[in-house]
Structures are given as structure tokens and as C-alpha cells.
Amino acid sequence: MRNMLALMIGLHMLADYPLQGDFLAKAKNRRVPIPGVPWWQALGAHSIIHGLAVGIVTRRLSLGVAETLIHAWTDDAKCRGRLTYNQDQAIHLTSKVIWAALARREGTPS
């Protein structure tokens, strides 16, 4: 479980910082969208990257989908001013703990 959790956290940091980049960070914000770029497409792309990482690590499509949905909801709430940056990151990291525990319970090798 520790290896799986460490890998998911590392991939989260990769996906939330260098892979997100300035374009997605700005384009996913429905309050201040980039003209001509649908915010929901940018948010969806960013969230799917996170879901893909979780799905690959846990080998559970259901956990990848859950990560995609929760990541999208969390980032949208942050962009809309309903969550702080630290609350956003706490939800993301807590989600990884939950995914690792569920994958372990379901028998995914760690």
C-alpha cells in the first residue's frame, strides 16, 4: 500500500504542476476563461490525466473514474473561490489515501 500511495502522490505532483502548466491552470477556470477555450474541456483534460494515473497505479478503472470526477469537482470549487489552495491539495492527497486503501482491500498488489 505504501508503494502505491507514494507512486500516486508523486504522479499527482507531476500532473498538478509541470503537466498542468500555465495554459491548463488558466483555461480550466470558468470565472476567468481563456477566450475561445471551453473551460470544461481544459478542466476535463486535466482531471482525466489525474484519473489515468490513479487507474494505472491501482489497476482499477473505477478508481480512475472516481479520481477524475473528484479532481474536477475540487479544482472547479477552488477556481470558483469555494476552496483554498491548501484545502484543494488536502482533498487531492486524501483521495489518494482512500484509493490506495480501496485497491489494497480489493486485492491489487502494492
Side-chain angles (χ1 to χ4, degrees):
M1 183 172 143
R2 285 187 307 228
N3 291 342
M4 183 182 294
L5 180 59
L7 189 54
M8 281 192 286
I9 290 172
L11 289 171
H12 169 79
M13 296 304 165
L14 182 65
D16 236 21
Y17 297 98
L19 291 181
Q20 178 172 215
D22 192 52
F23 171 76
L24 281 179
K26 290 178 180 175
K28 71 180 183 181
N29 189 340
R30 71 165 78 202
R31 293 177 88 186
V32 190
I34 294 176
V37 179
W39 66 268
W40 52 270
Q41 285 182 1
L43 180 61
H46 173 66
S47 300
I48 288 169
I49 291 168
H50 282 275
L52 179 64
V54 167
I56 289 171
V57 170
T58 64
R59 294 191 242 170
R60 295 286 186 262
L61 177 62
S62 60
L63 296 179
V65 170
E67 171 66 19
T68 298
L69 295 173
I70 289 174
H71 199 94
W73 177 86
T74 303
D75 276 18
D76 188 48
K78 180 187 67 179
C79 288
R80 293 166 69 189
R82 295 182 177 175
L83 292 175
T84 67
Y85 170 82
N86 288 330
Q87 290 169 328
D88 166 85
Q89 290 301 307
I91 291 168
H92 293 325
L93 295 178
T94 300
S95 296
K96 305 309 181 287
V97 171
I98 293 168
W99 309 149
L102 288 172
R104 181 174 183 241
R105 190 184 81 188
E106 294 174 3
T108 300
S110 58

